[in-house]
Amino acid sequence: MKEDFITGILPETVVIDDTTYPVRCDFRIGMQFERIYSSKLSDRDKIVRLLQMYYSEIPPNIKEAINQMLWFYQCGESEEKEEDKNKRQRYQRRNSRDPAYSFAQDAPYIYAAFKEQYGIDLTEVEMHWWKFMALFESLNEDTKMSRIMYYRKASTSGLPKEKRAFLNEMKKLYKITDVSGVGGKISLEKRNRKWRDYVKARQMEAKVVR
């Protein structure tokens, strides 16, 4: 997160070519990001859908609109900072590529965790995406959502037989089967590169189907 996360004002706009554009900043929009990205839509349709979702008025500069959308989705982090953050995440393991969570599949657990730890009913509030992610990444180990993420990411190497059997059973029980809405499935750097290459190849200009 940015250093002025608390003392500053969370952004609700982005600036593209000296023009300010409002962005839809509710956490529900961010939670839908990976669902759309992991869908079977064509790359172009994915880009169009996401741009329509984030902007009430899609900027003519499509490439920069995508860049700013990704910046907002990533809570203002640069690509390098995001890579460092991924390395520090408490459930990250170098020998495991399995995602820790799926916003789609884990929605009931996320709801329950926010209700339990923060007293927040996610069905009744409006919340900035950056605030939601700060709270989500700070869920304590007592919540079921945190335990589920641990089960998915924990290595069983070197564990006693009984504990290894238990973890394997938990991994099987909570295995992510919904490939949409998966957190951390593709790195920000890869996503940026793929989309920028696509935009460059197709030479998308001012007009986007609305």
Side-chain angles (χ1 to χ4, degrees), residues 66-83:
I66 292 173
N67 290 341
Q68 291 299 312
M69 177 179 67
L70 291 171
W71 171 85
F72 184 85
Y73 171 75
Q74 204 55 41
C75 303
E77 295 282 3
S78 67
E79 293 178 3
E80 291 183 359
K81 288 183 179 179
E82 170 61 14
E83 291 177 353

Side-chain angles (χ1 to χ4, degrees), residues 179-201:
V179 296
S180 64
V182 172
K185 185 172 183 180
I186 184 169
S187 72
L188 177 66
E189 182 180 5
K190 289 181 179 180
R191 180 186 296 132
N192 284 356
R193 185 169 60 248
K194 181 175 181 180
W195 282 8
R196 287 168 183 163
D197 289 347
Y198 174 81
V199 172
K200 182 178 179 180

Side-chain angles (χ1 to χ4, degrees), residues 127-193:
M127 186 186 304
H128 195 285
W129 169 241
W130 291 20
K131 180 179 178 180
F132 170 83
M133 285 304 297
L135 295 175
F136 177 69
E137 291 176 355
S138 300
L139 289 174
N140 64 48
E141 297 177 358
D142 295 330
T143 62
K144 187 170 184 178
M145 185 66 225
S146 290
R147 294 198 300 272
I148 290 172
M149 289 192 288
Y150 168 76
Y151 295 147
R152 288 170 178 160
K153 301 299 293 183
S155 172
T156 59
S157 177
L159 293 178
K161 183 177 180 180
E162 290 185 2
K163 193 167 184 179
R164 185 169 65 249
F166 171 78
L167 274 177
N168 284 332
E169 185 64 26
M170 293 299 100
K171 287 178 181 292
K172 181 179 179 181
L173 179 62
Y174 294 111
K175 180 179 179 180
I176 293 177
T177 56
D178 187 340
V179 296
S180 64
V182 172
K185 185 172 183 180
I186 184 169
S187 72
L188 177 66
E189 182 180 5
K190 289 181 179 180
R191 180 186 296 132
N192 284 356
R193 185 169 60 248

Side-chain angles (χ1 to χ4, degrees), residues 48-65:
V48 172
R49 184 75 62 84
L50 288 169
L51 289 173
Q52 290 173 334
M53 189 170 70
Y54 274 95
Y55 297 100
S56 56
E57 176 187 355
I58 300 176
N61 186 338
I62 300 301
K63 182 176 181 180
E64 190 58 25

Side-chain angles (χ1 to χ4, degrees), residues 106-116 120-124 145:
D106 295 330
Y109 302 122
I110 295 172
Y111 169 85
F114 271 67
K115 186 71 172 177
E116 174 187 345
I120 297 174
D121 188 328
L122 290 176
T123 66
E124 297 180 351
M145 185 66 225

